[in-house]
Amino acid sequence: MTGPALLWPGAAPDDGDDATVRPATRADDAELSARLAAAVDAVDAPDAVFALSLGGRRLVRSGGTAPPPAVPREELRYEIGSATKAFTATLLTELIGHGAVSGTETAASLLAPGRAGHSSPATLAHLITHTAGLPALPAGFRLRALPAWRTNPYGRYPAERVVDAFLRHRTRRRPGTRWHYSNFGVAVLGHALAAATRTPWEDLVRDRLLRPLGLGDTALAPASDGRDATGHGKDGRTPVPGFDAGGFQAAGALRSTPHDLLTFLEAHLRPGEWPLAGALRATRPPVLRRGLGHRHVHTVAWFRHPVDGAGMYFHGGATLGQQAFLGFRPDTGTALVAVCTRRFRAKDPFVATAYGLLAEL
């Protein structure tokens, strides 16, 4: 199996396929609204929202199999699960740009400076690119989470356990030699960044990322204002508790409104118009290629697939009762947010519907 080609940290030139924005589509608002509405119906969830930004204008359509909630669906905050990693990666590039970290430090040196004995050689760059040699979850996670597996598995694994499990872990592979998607690794990255800046994770995300981008409806925990969407099980009827990320905040804790998520994507589409322009631009170039012929391309923050000769950037996420999809196409100036309140199940249509819609626009 071909190993990954890790190109970052360091100057990673862009492929140059996104320099010219071409017209995305000749469809008028009525046609686009109809396509968004069809996507909402196809998802078959209690609540679903598809929000589109196209050439600077926004279209949002919502619906679902459940009765409309008291707060309009497009104004609710939704759990975005692993799509949080795109925010964490953007925060990392912002901190690198300001010299707070370089990306080449080992996480162990930040989390336990001077620790004697075994020390993992995994760097911050390895952690964000899923090449640190870590499993998806730490050893012992499932045993500890088992009593609350269907309701609160991550909440039973707090920050100190995540860090301790990392410092005790002995990888079988040298970091940088294999790609393996890891919630564990990105969670460790969050704790390492907090240690490097001597700032609690919540404050770091809010002050260095959310506030500069004006994302006032994005948070790390549910609030008491009645604006947090309720997730549901695979049957689409059984409510599930709000997601508690425990010590995995950097990997999956964020919840946000469709409009805030569109703002985040619009900043990535047109970084020169926003604060954190350098950090936003730094999430675009390829930093990792893997698979046969290195055909799978990743940036610091996004999966990137070729569409119409250019790049489509995206990241999905799921919790115990909700799903999210974030994606954008610089070549057409298009961004798409999709969220729903039904747990992923076999042959789930959510990701395929969102991905297919963005690829067509």
Side-chain angles (χ1 to χ4, degrees), residues 179-234:
W179 185 88
H180 183 73
Y181 190 85
S182 176
N183 283 328
F184 183 21
V186 180
V188 170
L189 172 64
H191 298 305
L193 294 179
T197 58
R198 300 181 180 180
T199 305
W201 176 251
E202 298 88 337
D203 296 341
L204 192 61
V205 174
R206 183 185 63 247
D207 296 342
R208 303 293 290 263
L209 185 63
L210 302 182
R211 187 173 291 164
L213 294 179
L215 305 179
D217 286 325
T218 302
L220 285 160
S224 58
D225 57 4
R227 293 184 57 207
D228 290 290
T230 299
H232 298 79
K234 294 181 181 180

Side-chain angles (χ1 to χ4, degrees), residues 107-108 111 120 122 127 134 162-169 184 188:
L111 293 168
S120 171
L127 293 171
L134 295 176
V162 172
V163 172
D164 183 66
F166 170 70
L167 294 175
R168 292 174 179 271
H169 180 78
F184 183 21
V188 170

